mmCIF file of all heavy atoms in Angstrom:
data_model
loop_
_atom_site.group_PDB
_atom_site.id
_atom_site.type_symbol
_atom_site.label_atom_id
_atom_site.label_comp_id
_atom_site.label_asym_id
_atom_site.label_seq_id
_atom_site.Cartn_x
_atom_site.Cartn_y
_atom_site.Cartn_z
ATOM 1 N N LEU Z 1317 -77.278 -63.298 107.948
ATOM 2 C CA LEU Z 1317 -75.887 -62.931 108.195
ATOM 3 C C LEU Z 1317 -74.990 -63.967 107.536
ATOM 4 O O LEU Z 1317 -74.941 -65.106 107.960
ATOM 5 C CB LEU Z 1317 -75.599 -62.871 109.701
ATOM 6 C CG LEU Z 1317 -76.404 -61.871 110.495
ATOM 7 C CD1 LEU Z 1317 -76.082 -62.003 111.979
ATOM 8 C CD2 LEU Z 1317 -76.135 -60.460 110.025
ATOM 9 N N GLU Z 1318 -74.272 -63.565 106.480
ATOM 10 C CA GLU Z 1318 -73.444 -64.516 105.753
ATOM 11 C C GLU Z 1318 -72.077 -63.910 105.478
ATOM 12 O O GLU Z 1318 -71.969 -62.739 105.158
ATOM 13 C CB GLU Z 1318 -74.117 -64.896 104.439
ATOM 14 C CG GLU Z 1318 -73.479 -66.089 103.789
ATOM 15 C CD GLU Z 1318 -74.362 -66.695 102.708
ATOM 16 O OE1 GLU Z 1318 -75.576 -66.532 102.760
ATOM 17 O OE2 GLU Z 1318 -73.789 -67.314 101.821
ATOM 18 N N SER Z 1319 -71.027 -64.715 105.623
ATOM 19 C CA SER Z 1319 -69.660 -64.254 105.397
ATOM 20 C C SER Z 1319 -69.197 -64.664 104.005
ATOM 21 O O SER Z 1319 -69.780 -65.546 103.385
ATOM 22 C CB SER Z 1319 -68.729 -64.835 106.460
ATOM 23 O OG SER Z 1319 -68.434 -66.172 106.144
ATOM 24 N N PRO Z 1320 -68.091 -64.072 103.510
ATOM 25 C CA PRO Z 1320 -67.557 -64.473 102.205
ATOM 26 C C PRO Z 1320 -67.087 -65.920 102.173
ATOM 27 O O PRO Z 1320 -66.985 -66.506 101.113
ATOM 28 C CB PRO Z 1320 -66.363 -63.536 101.994
ATOM 29 C CG PRO Z 1320 -66.556 -62.412 102.921
ATOM 30 C CD PRO Z 1320 -67.363 -62.944 104.070
ATOM 31 N N ASP Z 1321 -66.783 -66.514 103.332
ATOM 32 C CA ASP Z 1321 -66.344 -67.910 103.388
ATOM 33 C C ASP Z 1321 -67.522 -68.879 103.278
ATOM 34 O O ASP Z 1321 -67.335 -70.080 103.369
ATOM 35 C CB ASP Z 1321 -65.596 -68.190 104.697
ATOM 36 C CG ASP Z 1321 -64.287 -67.422 104.789
ATOM 37 O OD1 ASP Z 1321 -63.729 -67.081 103.727
ATOM 38 O OD2 ASP Z 1321 -63.832 -67.157 105.903
ATOM 39 N N GLY Z 1322 -68.753 -68.369 103.127
ATOM 40 C CA GLY Z 1322 -69.921 -69.223 103.008
ATOM 41 C C GLY Z 1322 -70.518 -69.630 104.341
ATOM 42 O O GLY Z 1322 -71.416 -70.447 104.404
ATOM 43 N N LEU Z 1323 -70.024 -69.057 105.451
ATOM 44 C CA LEU Z 1323 -70.597 -69.336 106.759
ATOM 45 C C LEU Z 1323 -71.816 -68.441 106.955
ATOM 46 O O LEU Z 1323 -71.823 -67.300 106.523
ATOM 47 C CB LEU Z 1323 -69.589 -69.058 107.868
ATOM 48 C CG LEU Z 1323 -68.306 -69.876 107.814
ATOM 49 C CD1 LEU Z 1323 -67.329 -69.385 108.876
ATOM 50 C CD2 LEU Z 1323 -68.610 -71.344 108.000
ATOM 51 N N ALA Z 1324 -72.827 -68.960 107.599
ATOM 52 C CA ALA Z 1324 -74.031 -68.163 107.813
ATOM 53 C C ALA Z 1324 -74.670 -68.532 109.142
ATOM 54 O O ALA Z 1324 -74.543 -69.651 109.623
ATOM 55 C CB ALA Z 1324 -75.028 -68.409 106.679
ATOM 56 N N LEU Z 1325 -75.345 -67.566 109.738
ATOM 57 C CA LEU Z 1325 -76.156 -67.808 110.922
ATOM 58 C C LEU Z 1325 -77.580 -68.069 110.474
ATOM 59 O O LEU Z 1325 -78.058 -67.459 109.514
ATOM 60 C CB LEU Z 1325 -76.152 -66.586 111.847
ATOM 61 C CG LEU Z 1325 -74.853 -66.288 112.578
ATOM 62 C CD1 LEU Z 1325 -74.984 -64.991 113.362
ATOM 63 C CD2 LEU Z 1325 -74.504 -67.419 113.508
ATOM 64 N N ASP Z 1326 -78.282 -68.960 111.179
ATOM 65 C CA ASP Z 1326 -79.680 -69.158 110.857
ATOM 66 C C ASP Z 1326 -80.486 -67.936 111.310
ATOM 67 O O ASP Z 1326 -79.946 -67.012 111.908
ATOM 68 C CB ASP Z 1326 -80.208 -70.449 111.492
ATOM 69 C CG ASP Z 1326 -80.396 -70.368 112.995
ATOM 70 O OD1 ASP Z 1326 -79.794 -69.472 113.630
ATOM 71 O OD2 ASP Z 1326 -81.124 -71.200 113.540
ATOM 72 N N HIS Z 1327 -81.783 -67.942 111.016
ATOM 73 C CA HIS Z 1327 -82.617 -66.770 111.297
ATOM 74 C C HIS Z 1327 -82.711 -66.441 112.791
ATOM 75 O O HIS Z 1327 -83.012 -65.330 113.151
ATOM 76 C CB HIS Z 1327 -84.012 -66.946 110.690
ATOM 77 C CG HIS Z 1327 -84.821 -68.029 111.355
ATOM 78 N ND1 HIS Z 1327 -84.620 -69.363 111.082
ATOM 79 C CD2 HIS Z 1327 -85.789 -67.971 112.274
ATOM 80 C CE1 HIS Z 1327 -85.458 -70.084 111.804
ATOM 81 N NE2 HIS Z 1327 -86.179 -69.267 112.540
ATOM 82 N N ARG Z 1328 -82.413 -67.394 113.680
ATOM 83 C CA ARG Z 1328 -82.424 -67.125 115.118
ATOM 84 C C ARG Z 1328 -81.038 -66.766 115.647
ATOM 85 O O ARG Z 1328 -80.869 -66.472 116.815
ATOM 86 C CB ARG Z 1328 -82.951 -68.349 115.875
ATOM 87 C CG ARG Z 1328 -84.411 -68.654 115.591
ATOM 88 C CD ARG Z 1328 -84.885 -69.890 116.346
ATOM 89 N NE ARG Z 1328 -84.016 -71.045 116.174
ATOM 90 C CZ ARG Z 1328 -84.143 -71.957 115.222
ATOM 91 N NH1 ARG Z 1328 -85.074 -71.848 114.314
ATOM 92 N NH2 ARG Z 1328 -83.316 -72.987 115.167
ATOM 93 N N GLY Z 1329 -80.006 -66.836 114.779
ATOM 94 C CA GLY Z 1329 -78.640 -66.540 115.208
ATOM 95 C C GLY Z 1329 -78.058 -67.603 116.117
ATOM 96 O O GLY Z 1329 -77.174 -67.335 116.903
#
Side-chain angles (χ1 to χ4, degrees):
L1317 299 176
E1318 193 164 335
S1319 78
D1321 294 335
L1323 300 173
L1325 289 176
D1326 73 341
H1327 68 281
R1328 294 179 309 270

